[in-house]
Amino acid sequence: ELTEDIGVFRHNRRICVYDESQEILKYRMDHKHLVEFQMSDYFSSGYPGKNGLFELPTFVLKNTPKIKELCLMWWEQICKYSSRDQLSLPYVLHRLNIKPHIFDGDSQTINKYFRKY
């Protein structure tokens, strides 16, 4: 049973938004100036490296006031910076001091939580 308000899968290759931003730039998955501006702001605000990265095609949220706050802040980040949600969710979780439940496995393979069709 999910006891936390949010459940996610860890990213299967990286553990850091700063590393992920380099992959995004390398493969031109978003505008360079948006990603660089976002990472610069996160670094300037003291956001730590190696603070987690998540696969986000599948995640679970409880309908709580804290999660509503998380969703609003997450959307603000996506509107202000890169649309790559993997960059902004770890930052928002950190800012709101929310610890997610980490599901076993990954979202791309068969696991006990979800089935992919």
Side-chain angles (χ1 to χ4, degrees):
E1 181 177 320
L2 181 66
T3 57
E4 291 86 351
D5 289 347
I6 179 172
V8 294
F9 289 96
R10 287 190 198 283
H11 195 281
N12 64 359
R13 283 185 236 125
R14 287 174 290 286
I15 61 167
C16 180
V17 298
Y18 300 116
D19 294 342
E20 182 70 6
S21 73
Q22 293 307 303
E23 289 293 306
I24 290 167
L25 294 175
K26 178 180 175 181
Y27 293 104
R28 298 180 179 164
M29 293 187 276
D30 204 347
H31 299 285
K32 182 179 179 182
H33 70 281
L34 292 173
V35 174
E36 288 178 344
F37 178 43
Q38 183 175 13
M39 293 302 101
S40 175
D41 277 1
Y42 286 6
F43 184 79
S44 295
S45 76
Y47 182 72
K50 311 294 184 220
N51 196 45
L53 190 66
F54 310 107
E55 295 179 2
L56 296 173
T58 306
F59 57 94
V60 176
L61 302 173
K62 287 185 179 177
N63 187 11
T64 66
K66 195 73 167 172
I67 292 301
K68 288 178 184 177
E69 183 180 9
L70 175 141
C71 289
L72 286 172
M73 186 181 288
W74 192 10
W75 180 244
E76 287 172 351
Q77 295 296 301
I78 290 168
C79 290
K80 182 176 181 181
Y81 301 114
S82 169
S83 62
R84 306 300 297 192
D85 54 4
Q86 288 176 309
L87 295 180
S88 48
L89 181 63
Y91 175 79
V92 172
L93 289 168
H94 178 77
R95 287 277 313 271
L96 296 176
N97 197 30
I98 296 173
K99 302 290 184 211
H101 173 84
I102 306 297
F103 294 121
D104 295 331
D106 63 72
S107 66
Q108 303 302 311
T109 58
I110 294 173
N111 59 66
K112 67 181 183 179
Y113 305 104
F114 304 98
R115 296 205 193 268
K116 191 173 182 180
Y117 292 97

